[in-house]
C-alpha cells in the first residue's frame, strides 16, 4: 500500500471519527501526503483558499504550498484602498496585479478585499469635505473594480460596518465615511461596484459573529439588520462574508450558528468563510495540546458551517503561522501572556501540516456536496 493510500485511509478514519462533538483531531505526522485542501473542497463543489501577499510568492516553498493547497486567493492587503491610492489620484495596481496574474496563471479564483473598510482608508481622505469624500470613494470603487473586471469572482465591497457598541440606533460603526456621508455610502459602494462589474458577486464582510456569546449574538443581529435593509432597498448584495477569526476558549454552539446561517441563506445570499484562523492566546503554551484544541474548534466550526448548503467557500487568513496577522500583536487579545508565538493557521513555520490542516481536510471530506 502506498504512503499516499495509507495517508488517505488515515485521514478518512480521522474524518469518520472526528464528528461534530469535541473529538480529538488526529495528530498529523510531519509531511504526510494526502490531497490538498483545494482538491478536497472542489470534490464537494466548494472552494478553499487563503490570504496571500506578493512577498510570499517569491518564496519557492510557500509558492508551491499555495499551489498545492489553494484554489482561491485573496490579497492580504495589496487591494486595500490605502495601498491602492496612497496619494489622491495616484492609483497603484501593480503589486496586486502580480497576485492576480499568479492566480490566473495557476487557474485559481480570486476574492477582492476590500473596497471600503475604516481601517484602510487613505490618510488624505481625512482632509476632504463630504462632497469630495463621496467623489473620492466613487472613483476609487469604480476604478478598482473596473481594473480587475472579470478577474475577481467576489468583492468584499464593505468590511466591518457593524459595531453595536458605537451606540447608533442602526448599530452601524461610526467610521469617517459614515460620519461624513451617512449610512447611504454603504449602498452606494455596492451599486458602484455592480455597475463597474455586473458579473462580480458582491459581499458584505464582517467578524465576531461566530461564538455563543452576548457580543457575537448582538453582532449577528446587527449584521442581519444591515443585510435586510440593503436587500429591501434593492442593493445588489449577493454574499455574506464571515471572517471566522475564531477565539479559542470562547463557547461555540453549532445549533445557534447554523440557525444564523439559515437566516442569511433565507435572504437569498450565499455565504463564504473569508478569514479563518484561531486566536490561541487563551490556550496553554504546550504546542501539541494547543494545536489539538485549536484544530478541534476549527473542526466543530466547519462541520456546523459546511452543513449549510449556502456556504460556498472557506478561506484561511494565511496558510502558515509565520505569516499570521495574529503574530503582529495589533490587537491586545492576540498577545499571549507567556510570550510564546501564536499558532493560528493550518501550517507551521516550516510549512508542515498541523492538526488544524487535518481538521479542515476532515470537515471538507465530510461536507455535503454542493448542487
Ligand atoms: C489585516 C492584515 O492581515 C494585516 O497584515 C494588516 O496589517 C491589517 O489587516 N479583518 C480584515 C483584514 O478584514 O483585512 C485584516 O487583515 C484582519 C482583520
Amino acid at each position: 500500500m502506498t504512503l499516499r493510500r495509507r495517508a488517505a485511509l488515515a485521514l478518512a478514519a480521522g474524518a469518520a471519527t472526528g464528528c461534530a462533538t469535541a473529538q480529538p483531531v488526529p495528530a498529523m505526522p510531519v509531511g504526510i501526503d494526502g490531497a490538498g485542501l483545494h482538491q478536497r473542497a472542489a470534490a464537494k463543489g466548494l472552494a478553499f483558499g487563503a490570504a496571500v501577499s506578493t512577498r510570499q510568492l517569491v518564496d519557492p516553498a510557500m509558492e508551491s504550498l499555495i499551489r498545492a493547497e489553494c484554489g482561491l486567493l485573496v490579497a492580504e492587503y495589496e487591494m486595500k484602498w490605502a495601498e491602492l491610492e496612497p496619494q489622491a489620484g495616484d492609483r497603484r495596481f501593480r503589486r496586486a496585479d502580480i497576485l492576480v496574474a499568479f492566480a490566473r496563471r495557476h487557474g485559481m479564483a480570486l476574492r477582492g478585499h476590500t473596497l471600503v473598510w475604516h481601517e484602510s482608508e487613505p490618510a488624505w481622505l481625512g482632509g476632504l469635505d463630504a462632497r469630495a469624500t463621496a467623489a473620492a470613494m466613487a472613483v476609487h470603487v469604480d476604478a478598482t473594480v473596473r481594473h480587475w473586471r472579470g478577474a475577481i469572482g467576489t468583492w468584499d465591497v464593505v468590511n466591518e460596518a457593524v459595531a453595536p457598541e458605537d451606540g447608533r440606533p442602526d448599530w452601524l460603526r461610526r467610521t469617517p465615511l459614515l460620519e461624513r456621508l451617512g449610512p447611504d455610502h454603504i449602498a452606494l459602494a455596492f451599486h458602484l461596484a455592480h455597475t463597474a462589474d455586473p458579473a462580480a458577486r458582491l459581499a458584505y464582510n464582517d467578524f465576531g459573529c461566530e461564538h455563543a456569546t452576548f457580543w457575537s449574538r448582538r453582532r449577528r443581529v446587527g449584521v442581519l439588520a444591515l443585510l435586510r435593509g440593503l436587500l429591501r432597498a434593492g442593493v445588489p448584495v449577493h454574499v455574506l462574508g464571515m471572517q471566522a477569526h475564531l477565539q479559542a476558549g470562547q463557547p461555540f454552539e453549532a445549533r445557534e450558528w447554523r440557525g444564523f446561517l439559515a437566516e442569511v441563506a433565507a435572504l437569498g445570499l450565499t455565504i463564504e468563510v473569508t478569514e479563518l484562523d484561531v486566536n490561541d492566546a487563551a490556550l496553554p503554551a504546550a504546542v501539541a495540546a494547543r494545536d489539538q484544541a485549536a484544530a478541534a474548534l476549527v473542526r466543530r466550526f466547519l462541520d456546523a458551517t459546511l452543513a449549510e448548503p449556502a456556504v460556498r467557500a472557506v478561506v484561511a487568513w494565511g496558510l502558515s503561522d509565520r505569516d499570521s496577522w495574529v503574530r503582529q500583536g495589533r490587537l491586545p487579545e492576540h498577545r499571549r501572556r507567556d510570550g510564546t508565538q501564536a499558532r493560528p493557521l493550518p501550517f507551521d513555520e516550516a510549512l508542515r501540516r498541523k492538526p488544524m490542516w487535518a481538521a479542515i481536510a476532515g470537515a471538507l471530506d465530510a461536507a455535503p456536496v454542493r448542487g
Side-chain angles (χ1 to χ4, degrees):
M1 183 185 296
T2 65
L3 175 60
R4 193 180 186 89
R5 175 75 184 137
R6 189 176 297 123
L9 291 175
L11 279 173
T17 54
C19 55
T21 55
Q23 297 285 328
V25 174
M28 291 290 286
V30 167
I32 188 171
D33 195 1
L37 296 175
H38 157 51
Q39 287 168 283
R40 294 167 186 269
K44 299 302 179 73
L46 287 159
F48 176 83
V52 298
S53 63
T54 44
R55 64 177 168 75
Q56 289 166 4
L57 299 183
V58 298
D59 170 351
M62 175 54 84
E63 195 250 14
S64 62
L65 182 68
I66 291 167
R67 291 172 60 186
E69 297 289 342
C70 296
L72 180 150
L73 298 183
V74 59
E76 182 175 359
Y77 56 90
E78 290 93 341
M79 286 194 186
K80 291 170 180 171
W81 192 354
E83 294 290 328
L84 290 176
E85 193 179 2
Q87 312 302 331
D90 172 14
R91 253 168 273 287
R92 300 186 183 178
F93 294 126
R94 191 183 56 79
R95 289 179 67 176
D97 282 341
I98 294 168
L99 197 64
V100 172
F102 174 87
R104 303 187 86 169
R105 187 162 60 248
H106 299 295
M108 298 172 182
L110 282 154
R111 299 194 84 256
H113 178 80
T114 174
L115 296 169
V116 172
W117 182 36
H118 62 286
E119 289 205 25
S120 71
E121 288 165 7
W124 51 266
L125 203 67
L128 304 183
D129 63 18
R131 188 186 186 82
T133 301
M137 188 194 85
V139 172
H140 159 63
V141 171
D142 183 72
T144 302
V145 177
R146 280 185 196 283
H147 180 78
W148 287 299
R149 183 176 174 132
I152 305 288
T154 302
W155 270 106
D156 287 336
V157 176
V158 173
N159 194 33
E160 303 184 1
V162 167
E165 68 277 9
D166 279 8
R168 283 177 52 94
D170 57 12
W171 283 8
L172 289 179
R173 187 182 301 277
R174 295 183 183 280
T175 69
L177 283 181
L178 182 124
E179 303 290 10
R180 216 171 296 160
L181 305 180
D184 287 351
H185 79 282
I186 294 173
L188 174 62
F190 277 94
H191 283 300
L192 289 163
H194 186 61
T195 302
D197 186 353
R201 292 178 62 74
L202 304 182
Y204 172 71
N205 193 49
D206 216 330
F207 72 99
C209 294
E210 297 83 7
H211 285 285
T213 61
F214 169 75
W215 194 71
S216 274
R217 287 171 183 139
R218 200 168 59 153
R219 292 187 58 74
R220 293 199 289 267
V221 171
V223 166
L224 274 172
L226 173 60
L227 292 173
R228 288 191 172 111
L230 292 172
L231 292 167
R232 260 199 309 272
V235 176
V237 187
H238 313 113
V239 182
L240 172 64
M242 286 276 92
Q243 294 182 11
H245 293 300
L246 303 180
Q247 307 297 318
Q250 287 193 15
F252 172 74
E253 288 295 335
R255 185 190 308 273
E256 181 176 313
W257 175 242
R258 287 192 60 184
F260 168 71
L261 296 180
E263 284 193 83
V264 175
L267 297 175
L269 301 178
T270 58
I271 300 154
E272 298 178 8
V273 172
T274 55
E275 304 182 17
L276 179 65
D277 59 18
V278 175
N279 172 14
D280 63 6
L283 293 178
V287 166
R290 189 159 26 130
D291 284 357
Q292 290 291 353
L297 174 57
V298 166
R299 179 66 196 262
R300 290 189 61 226
F301 172 76
L302 287 181
D303 279 345
T305 302
L306 295 175
E308 169 51 60
V311 175
R312 298 305 170 92
V314 175
V315 177
W317 203 242
L319 286 175
S320 165
D321 294 336
R322 70 187 191 192
D323 299 314
S324 173
W325 76 299
V326 175
R327 289 194 172 187
Q328 293 171 9
R330 286 164 52 97
L331 305 179
E333 61 269 26
H334 284 171
R335 296 175 204 139
R336 291 183 55 85
R337 276 200 290 272
D338 59 20
T340 58
Q341 290 273 36
R343 296 175 62 85
L345 291 169
F347 293 84
D348 68 13
E349 295 87 344
L351 308 188
R352 293 172 302 195
R353 289 172 172 174
K354 294 162 56 186
M356 192 184 294
W357 182 92
I360 299 171
L364 292 170
D365 292 347
V369 177
R370 265 67 185 152

